[in-house]
């Protein structure tokens, strides 16, 4: 008997029950935390499991890409991105690298320089200037600011919207429209006053915000007759897809009805077959299909001046592929990249061609002066 008159074995049984209950509650809590973590990170976990089959192509690029640095301020590590304004700096063109005669603008000198690079390029090698634009501010960007990026990216974005916003393939905001109007005015000034070469071809992501950004930026410009604004809608240029409703595109029918001047690539399905509510595209898959997109453009499009309208994820992937510094391009902004594309080279031949390229650039600069 215990001091309170109760049998000792009853106390022992009660203590055991209490410990069992506490352990059960603790185990249930741990299980809930682990289950929640696995649920919200299952795409990344699955992608790293042995035998996992990626949705994208295996990265076996037939072309190599590299940045030709020194001609735009954005690729110079000394340029302070937080104060830089591309509309106030002639798109960032470094005039000192070119030299120009009294009768030519810096852009006309650059055009002669780029023409000389391509004229003297090695077999299979080309040099292109990309005008890359990021989608203007859209409703999901405002919602992300409202809830905070962690909450929006991991939880809220899984839903079509809230009482204030619909962020399923969202439209650009009023502020986004102002950003496109600024770009439009800037491009008009560049073309007319600076004699900047207009893009010869245009490519755009199939998401509504990029389709509209490109339209409002380029469609009303006074373009040369042989360089009309007829963008090609490319699935591989879209933002990282899966899970988040803001990265789910509208149907092919909707795109055709709302952007009748746009050309949609062959094999483009009406419904968004790439977007998955339970799987987020991995960085490796995004990189592989971005490389595939660039290969297709550079192999089949002979244009020297090309416009891409895309998203921050795709733009950063392009920067990584070509070796551009991580330039924090803001919503609705544009930037140029001078790119060299060529077939893969053996290491020894690569060193020789790098020396040859440096000599070609010097000769091209002298020819442009």
């Amino acid at each position: 008997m215990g001091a309170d008159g109760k049998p000792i074995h009853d106390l022992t049984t009660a203590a055991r029950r209490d410990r069992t209950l506490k352990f059960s509650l603790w185990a249930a809590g741990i299980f809930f935390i682990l289950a929640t973590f696995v649920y919200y990170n299952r795409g990344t976990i699955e992608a790293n499991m042995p035998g996992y089959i990626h949705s994208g192509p295996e990265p076996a690029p037939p072309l190599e890409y590299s940045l030709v640095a020194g001609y735009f301020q954005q690729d110079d590590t000394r340029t302070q991105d937080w104060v830089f304004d591309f509309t106030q700096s002639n798109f960032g063109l470094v005039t000192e690298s070119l030299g120009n005669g009294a009768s030519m603008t810096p852009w006309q000198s650059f055009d002669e320089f780029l023409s000389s690079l391509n004229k003297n390029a090695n077999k299979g090698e080309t040099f292109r200037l990309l005008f890359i634009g990021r989608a203007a501010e859209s409703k999901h960007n405002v919602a992300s600011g409202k809830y905070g990026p962690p909450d929006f990216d991991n939880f809220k974005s899984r839903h079509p919207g809230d009482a204030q916003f619909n962020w399923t393939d969202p439209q650009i905001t009023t502020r986004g429209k102002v950003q496109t109007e600024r770009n439009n005015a800037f491009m008009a000034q560049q073309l007319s006053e600076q004699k900047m070469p207009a893009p010869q071809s245009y490519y755009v992501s199939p998401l509504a915000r990029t389709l509209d950004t490109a339209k409002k930026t380029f469609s009303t410009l006074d373009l040369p007759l042989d360089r009309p604004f007829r963008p090609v809608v490319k699935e591989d240029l879209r933002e990282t897809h899966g899970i988040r409703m803001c990265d789910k595109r509208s149907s092919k029918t909707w795109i055709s009805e709302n952007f009748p001047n746009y050309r949609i690539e062959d094999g483009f399905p009406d419904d968004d077959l790439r977007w998955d509510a339970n799987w987020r595209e991995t960085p490796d898959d995004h990189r592989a299909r971005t490389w595939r997109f660039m290969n297709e453009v550079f192999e089949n499009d002979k244009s020297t001046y090309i416009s891409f309208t895309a998203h921050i994820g795709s733009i950063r992937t392009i920067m990584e592929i070509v070796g551009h510094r991580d330039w924090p391009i803001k919503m609705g902004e544009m930037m140029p990249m001078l790119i060299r594309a060529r077939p893969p080279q053996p290491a020894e031949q690569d060193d020789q061609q790098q020396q040859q390229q440096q000599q070609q650039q010097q000769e091209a600069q002298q020819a442009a002066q």
Side-chain angles (χ1 to χ4, degrees), residues 42-273:
R42 59 191 179 281
T44 302
I45 293 172
E46 291 173 357
N48 288 281
M49 291 177 63
Y52 175 80
I53 300 176
H54 292 263
S55 66
E58 288 300 320
L63 290 177
E64 292 179 349
Y65 300 94
S66 59
L67 179 76
V68 183
Y71 299 95
F72 293 95
Q73 297 178 52
Q74 292 92 325
D75 57 55
D76 188 339
T77 56
R78 296 171 297 179
T79 303
Q80 299 176 336
D81 57 79
W82 59 91
V83 296
F84 180 81
D85 185 347
F86 72 98
T87 67
Q88 301 299 316
S89 61
N90 204 11
F91 237 135
L93 183 63
V94 180
T95 56
E96 294 81 3
S97 298
L98 298 168
N100 60 286
S103 61
M104 291 195 300
T105 69
W107 272 106
Q108 289 174 318
S109 295
F110 178 84
D111 188 39
E112 286 194 1
F113 161 71
L114 185 51
S115 296
S116 180
L117 280 181
N118 281 310
K119 181 180 179 180
N120 297 294
N122 296 306
K123 183 178 180 180
E125 181 182 53
T126 62
F127 296 85
R128 320 286 187 97
L129 184 69
L130 305 182
F131 295 106
I132 298 181
R134 180 182 172 184
E137 183 191 74
S138 306
K139 293 180 180 179
H140 73 295
N141 300 123
V142 180
S144 180
K146 173 183 176 181
Y147 292 108
D151 188 24
F152 181 79
D153 291 346
N154 296 319
F155 300 100
K156 301 296 184 183
S157 63
R158 296 170 177 271
H159 304 284
D162 61 11
Q164 185 179 7
F165 300 109
N166 177 7
W167 54 69
T168 302
D169 194 11
Q171 303 289 324
I172 65 175
T173 63
T174 300
R175 182 180 178 185
K177 293 178 182 178
V178 172
Q179 292 168 347
T180 62
E181 291 168 358
R182 179 184 186 230
N183 290 345
N184 177 267
F186 169 70
M187 289 294 294
Q189 181 267 337
Q190 288 292 111
L191 295 172
S192 62
E193 297 180 15
Q194 297 298 325
K195 309 303 179 184
M196 184 184 78
Q200 296 163 287
S201 54
Y202 300 81
Y203 297 90
V204 60
S205 154
L207 298 181
R209 54 191 182 272
T210 41
L211 298 171
D212 205 21
T213 296
K215 178 182 178 180
K216 288 180 167 58
T217 298
F218 298 108
S219 65
T220 61
L221 293 175
D222 185 15
L223 296 170
L225 294 178
D226 61 342
R227 300 186 180 190
F229 176 65
R230 289 292 311 281
V232 179
V233 180
K234 298 291 291 184
E235 192 90 88
D236 279 341
L237 193 53
R238 65 188 292 176
E239 183 60 289
T240 305
H241 53 74
I243 296 181
R244 299 172 190 170
M245 296 295 291
C246 55
D247 299 326
K248 182 179 182 180
R249 71 165 172 83
S250 300
S251 68
K252 177 181 178 180
T253 301
W254 182 89
I255 295 173
S256 298
E257 291 175 350
N258 287 273
F259 300 91
N261 189 50
Y262 288 22
R263 294 171 293 168
I264 301 177
E265 66 178 330
D266 294 337
F268 193 93
D270 194 59
D271 294 328
D272 188 356
L273 303 182

